[in-house]
Amino acid sequence: ANYLQVKDKLTEKDAAVEFILYFDKDTIGHYGALILRKNYKYPVFVHISEKEKFESSLSFDSKTSQMVWNPLIPFFNGVENIFFSPIGAIHKFAIEYLPFENSGFIANKYNIYRVSSTSEIVKRDQKQSFNYKKAIIYGGINYDTDNTTLQEVVDYQATRGNSGNARLAYLKGTLEEAQNINDVFNVKKIKTVFYEGWFATEESFKKLSGSDNGIIHLGTHGFCKVTDSDLRLAVTGGNAQVDGDYAMYNSGLFFAGANNTLRGDNNSELEDGVLTSKEVSVLDFSKTDLITLSACVTGDGDITGEGVFGVQRGFKLAGANALVMSCWAVSDAS
């Protein structure tokens, strides 16, 4: 979509902000923004900060929030809705929810929507509403499922349908979380399929590809930027450089039996319980409205000019319409 198509979809109370990263003639990096409103003939460019200065001063406080938003505020007169697309280090901060002066968050002043690209506004239907009828929930996963049991579970799931030295610790909190969510959905008359323990296999998740599920909730361990050589070999199968996209093999989620893989004794005929972002990227979640990634560092990854290469990129390439993620390690109790 070009800027004219985006502009056509905006109302008088909307602003589209595309953050950009560029280099001057002296190859010094800069952060900036392109702002588009209904009455603008062209997008307006605003300089924010030199890249090095910006990235070295980032913190979870009003200083960062004001550094990003203050140069843009003069262009928001009469604005109620802001659609913004982050870039670079801005991906790693929920800049819409950082403190902002005395008014709390910037999100208290405006309705702010984070998008992969402001071109997504072209696809926006302002009357869109969701009537969720089905949800898939994962939690309380047994990472120590032995190969024999894992094979039996996979065989069962294949015949009966989807019914339900590195070592990953069992996450008791994810089971409680998933059960609570399941109860809420049942009250709201949303049909649920609940995978826990041995049944939370990588096979069961991959079978969701192409299906019509409004919501998918994943409570598990996540990984990103693995540095341990043995673990890296287990995660990538030695194929990390096949297409030069190592970051996509270097992040992902863990399912039942993953500890077998991390110990090096996984049955090669089974999915290994380690779902990489690369594997996610070739699945189809275009019919899924919301995927909640309740795991560590699911929003993190290698920052490039094309965005963050990690778990979130895998799900975006798979067509997921909305994601809930974390850029940090998260305690099980939280």
Side-chain angles (χ1 to χ4, degrees), residues 210-225:
S211 61
D212 188 3
N213 298 296
I215 302 171
I216 297 176
H217 176 89
L218 289 163
T220 185
H221 282 289
F223 66 94
C224 182
K225 296 184 179 179

Side-chain angles (χ1 to χ4, degrees), residues 7-8 10-15 35-44 75 77 79:
K7 177 182 171 181
D8 184 59
L10 297 175
T11 71
E12 298 293 341
K13 296 181 179 181
D14 295 338
I35 303 176
L36 184 62
R37 294 191 59 181
K38 188 73 171 179
N39 61 334
Y40 287 7
K41 186 175 182 180
Y42 304 106
V44 174
F75 300 91
N77 185 36
V79 166

Side-chain angles (χ1 to χ4, degrees), residues 15-65:
V17 180
E18 189 85 30
F19 287 102
I20 60 173
L21 185 58
Y22 65 97
F23 294 85
D24 61 25
K25 63 180 180 180
D26 297 319
T27 67
I28 296 175
H30 298 265
Y31 280 93
L34 294 173
I35 303 176
L36 184 62
R37 294 191 59 181
K38 188 73 171 179
N39 61 334
Y40 287 7
K41 186 175 182 180
Y42 304 106
V44 174
F45 167 76
V46 179
H47 178 263
I48 294 177
S49 175
E50 285 189 7
K51 180 177 183 291
E52 184 175 345
K53 177 182 178 182
F54 181 82
E55 295 179 355
S56 64
S57 62
L58 289 176
S59 57
F60 299 99
D61 56 24
S62 59
K63 180 181 178 181
T64 295
S65 181

Side-chain angles (χ1 to χ4, degrees), residues 31 87-89 91-92 225 300-305 307-309:
Y31 280 93
I87 198 168
H91 276 290
K92 294 195 173 187
K225 296 184 179 179
D300 202 356
D302 289 347
I303 303 294
T304 75
V308 179
F309 278 65

Side-chain angles (χ1 to χ4, degrees), residues 242-293:
V242 169
D243 57 3
D245 195 4
Y246 180 73
M248 297 295 282
Y249 289 97
N250 199 24
S251 57
L253 302 166
F254 292 108
F255 288 83
N259 276 338
N260 299 352
T261 299
L262 302 183
R263 286 192 296 265
D265 61 355
N266 184 67
N267 184 334
S268 60
E269 296 180 359
L270 300 173
E271 295 286 357
D272 58 14
V274 181
L275 180 71
T276 67
S277 303
K278 188 66 176 180
E279 290 177 283
V280 173
S281 70
V282 298
L283 302 177
D284 177 12
F285 289 111
S286 59
K287 297 179 181 179
T288 304
D289 296 317
L290 173 66
I291 297 180
T292 301
L293 303 173

Side-chain angles (χ1 to χ4, degrees), residues 134-155:
K134 187 176 181 181
I136 309 296
I137 303 171
Y138 284 79
I141 297 175
N142 187 343
Y143 305 106
D144 284 305
T145 306
D146 61 83
N147 282 327
T148 300
T149 303
L150 193 62
Q151 181 68 68
E152 291 175 354
V153 169
V154 171
D155 290 343

Side-chain angles (χ1 to χ4, degrees), residues 48-330:
I48 294 177
S49 175
E50 285 189 7
K51 180 177 183 291
E52 184 175 345
K53 177 182 178 182
F54 181 82
E55 295 179 355
S56 64
S57 62
L58 289 176
S59 57
F60 299 99
D61 56 24
S62 59
K63 180 181 178 181
T64 295
S65 181
Q66 291 173 27
M67 184 164 50
V68 172
W69 294 112
N70 277 352
L72 311 183
I73 292 295
F75 300 91
F76 295 156
N77 185 36
V79 166
E80 294 182 3
N81 308 302
I82 298 174
F83 300 87
F84 80 94
S85 174
I87 198 168
I90 298 177
H91 276 290
K92 294 195 173 187
F93 282 76
I95 58 172
E96 61 271 49
Y97 296 113
L98 292 179
F100 186 77
E101 296 179 336
N102 297 322
S103 59
F105 308 130
I106 190 77
N108 289 348
K109 299 182 66 174
Y110 309 96
N111 302 313
I112 301 188
Y113 305 92
R114 177 182 289 249
V115 294
S116 298
S117 166
T118 51
S119 64
E120 291 182 15
I121 296 172
V122 174
K123 300 181 291 184
R124 181 173 62 134
D125 181 355
Q126 293 183 332
K127 295 182 179 179
Q128 184 178 26
S129 62
F130 298 108
N131 181 23
Y132 298 116
K133 295 182 179 179
K134 187 176 181 181
I136 309 296
I137 303 171
Y138 284 79
I141 297 175
N142 187 343
Y143 305 106
D144 284 305
T145 306
D146 61 83
N147 282 327
T148 300
T149 303
L150 193 62
Q151 181 68 68
E152 291 175 354
V153 169
V154 171
D155 290 343
Y156 173 83
Q157 290 177 331
T159 57
R160 298 291 298 277
N162 294 328
S163 61
N165 300 334
R167 182 179 181 276
L168 300 168
Y170 177 73
L171 298 175
K172 179 182 178 181
T174 64
L175 178 60
E176 182 180 354
E177 172 188 61
Q179 289 172 333
N180 289 338
I181 293 171
N182 190 64
D183 291 343
V184 170
F185 285 166
N186 287 337
V187 170
K188 294 182 176 294
K189 308 300 181 184
I190 298 175
K191 180 181 179 181
T192 59
V193 179
F194 192 172
Y195 292 101
E196 63 173 299
W198 299 339
F199 288 88
T201 63
E202 185 180 353
E203 281 89 350
S204 70
F205 182 77
K206 287 186 173 180
K207 285 182 180 180
L208 300 177
S209 178
S211 61
D212 188 3
N213 298 296
I215 302 171
I216 297 176
H217 176 89
L218 289 163
T220 185
H221 282 289
F223 66 94
C224 182
K225 296 184 179 179
V226 179
T227 56
D228 180 86
S229 58
D230 293 333
L231 183 56
R232 177 185 296 157
L233 182 63
V235 167
T236 64
N239 294 320
Q241 301 299 331
V242 169
D243 57 3
D245 195 4
Y246 180 73
M248 297 295 282
Y249 289 97
N250 199 24
S251 57
L253 302 166
F254 292 108
F255 288 83
N259 276 338
N260 299 352
T261 299
L262 302 183
R263 286 192 296 265
D265 61 355
N266 184 67
N267 184 334
S268 60
E269 296 180 359
L270 300 173
E271 295 286 357
D272 58 14
V274 181
L275 180 71
T276 67
S277 303
K278 188 66 176 180
E279 290 177 283
V280 173
S281 70
V282 298
L283 302 177
D284 177 12
F285 289 111
S286 59
K287 297 179 181 179
T288 304
D289 296 317
L290 173 66
I291 297 180
T292 301
L293 303 173
S294 182
C296 295
V297 295
T298 50
D300 202 356
D302 289 347
I303 303 294
T304 75
E306 296 183 29
V308 179
F309 278 65
V311 177
Q312 64 165 279
R313 183 173 181 83
F315 280 97
K316 287 177 181 179
L317 290 173
N321 290 294
L323 298 171
V324 176
M325 306 168 290
S326 170
C327 287
W328 309 279
V330 183

